[in-house]
Amino acid sequence: MKKIIIAIDGFSSTGKSTVAKQLAKALGYVYIDTGAMYRAVALFAMKHDLVGENFIKKQDLEDKLSEIQINFKLNLKNDIAEAYLNGNNVENDIRSLEVSQFVSPIAAISSVRKKLVEQQQKMGAEKGIVMDGRDIGTVVFPKAELKIFMNASAEKRAQRRYEELTAKGDKVSYESVLKNIEERDHIDTTREDSPLVKAKDAILFDNSVLSKEEQFEKLKGLALEYI
Ligand code: C5P
């Protein structure tokens, strides 16, 4: 089977990672969640007091970028490629609402993007990869064979995210999740470096009314046309 690059971009909590994971598994491809990498940098910044309610110490973070090592290791128990920050498993910590609140301003910093984009391009050099994020089809792999741009209404996305967080035991309100999603949408689409935008050759995929199964079947069908 031919190996291609599948780039899945879109707004926060559109369910990109769920379907990207399923697709990678079905095709025997590697799955990379680039949002996890930006989240890991945000977690690092939080732990070093480089970001807070009203501040970002951009220069201090830039000085420490070389100390940040992010990688993924497959957990054989749940078959999930979990994120590691400097050797520590941070898969759970990076999904908190607190990290969600700081990640988009951190992801708007060009030097952070440069570091992570370089790593992502190396990860996909051999193709056979499904990568999801905000700039995969536009910046990381502009020549990806298949590009998908996912969207759904902010309310629908907030509802899904709220259910995920409360199922984990996080005490959050629906309103705070919706507010966070709207704020991230705003920062992600208006930042100067690599704003979230649909690549011209990406296929628009609105999944507001599709079940997870339907999304997977549709995307698998599309992928098989290219392989
Ligand atoms: O995908 P996820 O919601 O986990 O991503 C968290 C944040 O990381 C996004 O809101 C966005 O600010 C940033 N991000 C990015 N570029 C990517 C992936 C994520 O700027 N390729």
Side-chain angles (χ1 to χ4, degrees):
M1 221 174 8
K2 194 174 132 202
K3 282 191 171 182
I4 64 166
I5 293 180
I6 302 177
I8 304 187
D9 288 304
F11 287 88
S12 301
S13 303
T14 37
K16 297 185 298 291
S17 60
T18 307
V19 74
K21 251 180 240 167
Q22 281 179 301
L23 191 58
K25 197 169 179 192
L27 301 175
Y29 276 23
V30 172
Y31 164 64
I32 301 290
D33 171 1
T34 63
M37 299 170 75
Y38 289 94
R39 285 171 179 273
V41 177
L43 184 68
F44 177 93
M46 283 161 62
K47 286 191 169 160
H48 289 79
D49 287 324
L50 302 175
V51 67
E53 279 291 318
N54 304 309
F55 71 92
I56 295 188
K57 294 182 187 162
K58 182 172 170 248
Q59 186 60 54
D60 293 346
L61 176 60
E62 291 185 326
D63 292 344
K64 283 188 177 290
L65 276 184
S66 61
E67 293 174 24
I68 301 178
Q69 289 224 357
I70 298 163
N71 59 306
F72 294 93
K73 274 190 219 161
L74 190 68
N75 180 338
L76 295 173
K77 283 189 201 143
N78 54 17
D79 208 26
I80 290 177
E82 295 180 331
Y84 282 70
L85 169 63
N86 293 341
N88 298 312
N89 186 328
V90 291
E91 184 58 30
N92 209 25
D93 295 355
I94 59 171
R95 310 284 166 196
S96 68
L97 187 57
E98 208 189 353
V99 169
S100 299
Q101 274 154 358
F102 296 126
V103 64
S104 290
I106 295 281
I109 300 174
S110 288
S111 50
V112 170
R113 304 203 69 80
K114 185 168 179 287
K115 175 184 169 87
L116 298 189
V117 167
E118 277 172 14
Q119 189 180 348
Q120 289 153 11
Q121 287 172 334
K122 279 188 197 144
M123 288 166 154
E126 310 217 329
K127 301 202 175 190
I129 195 160
V130 181
M131 192 173 275
D132 77 30
R134 304 291 186 289
D135 59 343
I136 312 305
T138 49
V139 176
V140 184
F141 293 117
K143 292 191 177 151
E145 287 84 351
L146 175 58
K147 299 181 186 177
I148 307 288
F149 190 85
M150 289 183 64
N151 201 2
S153 71
E155 288 75 17
K156 182 93 194 174
R157 292 184 280 132
Q159 187 60 37
R160 286 184 190 144
R161 189 87 190 107
Y162 171 72
E163 283 166 15
E164 258 170 44
L165 287 168
T166 46
K168 276 199 314 177
D170 284 10
K171 295 209 172 8
V172 293
S173 66
Y174 167 79
E175 287 70 28
S176 63
V177 175
L178 177 62
K179 184 166 170 271
N180 173 251
I181 283 190
E182 288 173 341
E183 278 169 5
R184 284 202 281 148
D185 285 358
H186 178 71
I187 301 176
D188 292 348
T189 50
T190 56
R191 70 178 172 226
E192 230 165 83
D193 189 347
S194 319
L196 170 63
V197 55
K198 177 185 162 302
K200 281 200 185 81
D201 51 350
I203 297 169
L204 183 64
F205 197 80
D206 189 314
N207 67 10
S208 300
V209 295
L210 294 178
S211 71
K212 284 183 183 166
E213 270 311 300
E214 289 167 330
Q215 293 178 49
F216 168 63
E217 288 304 330
K218 277 199 172 212
L219 287 190
K220 193 172 86 179
L222 275 174
L224 290 176
E225 286 177 26
Y226 291 83
I227 291 177

